[in-house]
Amino acid sequence: MSKSSPPPGTSDILPEEAPTWNLLENTARKIFALYGYRELRTPIFEYTEVFQRGLGDETEVVKKEMYTFEDRGGRSLTLRPEGTAGVMRSLSGTDALNGVEHRVFYIGPMFRGERPAAGRRRQFHQIGVENAGKVSPELDAECIAMLLHYLEEIGITGTTLYLNTRGVAADRPAAEQALRQYFEPCLDRMCADCRERFERNIWRILDCKQECCRPFIEQAPDPAAFFSDESKLYFKKVCDALTAMGIEYVVEPRLVRGLDYYVHTVFELVHPGLGGQTAIAGGGRYELRLPETGKPIQGVGYAAGMERLLMVREALGIPPVPQENPKIFLVSMGERALAFNIALAAKLRKAGIAAGLELETKSLKSQMRSADRLKAAWSVVVGESELESGKAMLKNMADSSQKEIELTADALAKELC
Ligand code: HAM
């Protein structure tokens, strides 16, 4: 492995890629603000217990994928594998615990020790939203609508919304018993992971993508059929609210999601541009246990994987956001011209105009090559005669046309704005 590459499953975000990342982030900030969401930045690592309690010990992420380490004080810390648990840990100090609504979003890196593949990274980035404190099916629907609004704004259309209900804890034993009775006789023909899931967390069998398991899973009973009338009504209200907003969805009884904190609504968004069934975003309503007290905190939210959003944009043929190039490149012929241009560039930059120049004297050819490489829109050559006359030729780099201008920051700023 070359030492110039970052560790497997991680990537540099290069200067030419950064403008598109910024677009995704800034658009999220703009759209989420329309719905009253405010940005919350939590630490990149938390006490391990935040995730163990929050996501559940039996969650694959907690069991197999966390980057956990001990600090010098002997505390167990973990790089955040997702955003919800840390956000809820932060909000637990507020009145969200007493049913007061809090609307927050976050943007940043997450870490999971997964096998790297296209769209599956060890360090990946999420744009996520959490609404804590209130329980309401209309809120769940509004959250989904906000996600679709955001995707549309960044040019992503053509997604399929898969929707399901996980009911509440009290609904689960009857559904689990039905699943147990159904899967037990099939287990010897199913994968080893599913046999383990049967013992530890039978719901996760429904999520299995192995060919040998699919036929059994497709025939499995719909767990929601065993849920209480109250849970069924909650789900109907979510569906009705989505329909009222003109949002199409597919009810997928086998959608359980990979994290164990979900109750009621769960959803995933899939796009053909990613190939297969890989989700670009997922979320739902949850009841999360807080560290120390073990108190439950309610919320609804989702996260979209930024790498996957970028892959879909590319598959849709949306060009990357171009880098900001210098508006003008100042070419210096001689020491006096260089000193003049350094001062001129400083004034132009303060006036909000991106200016480029070489900070040492070089040949005209070499400086013009730099102007081309940086894709400057204009250039101006300053030498002894220009300094004398106070005038110079402003060259349009695209069509090589030239016009005479006064060699002052004000005159240039007026010309270039
Ligand atoms: P999640 O489904 O685990 O949910 O992740 C959400 C999104 O993050 C996925 O749909 C995917 O786009 C992206 N993602 C996950 N793992 C990877 C990976 N290894 N590489 C690249 N992208 C990945 C959660 O994280 C929940 N916290 C979402 C949520 C918020 N539920 C309620 N509130």
Side-chain angles (χ1 to χ4, degrees), residues 55 61 81-85 106 112 114 119-126 128-130 257-259 261-262 268-269 274 278-286 300-309:
L55 314 191
V61 171
E82 57 98 63
T84 314
Y106 49 92
R112 294 184 194 175
E114 296 195 75
R120 193 169 60 223
R121 318 292 301 151
R122 290 184 175 164
Q123 175 177 323
F124 57 99
H125 298 76
Q126 285 187 342
V129 156
E130 310 296 348
R257 306 267 304 127
L259 304 160
Y261 49 49
Y262 291 108
E268 275 184 2
L269 272 185
L274 263 191
T278 323
I280 54 173
R285 177 156 288 284
Y286 50 85
V300 61
Y302 59 80
M306 292 183 71
E307 285 78 0
R308 295 188 188 176
L309 297 178

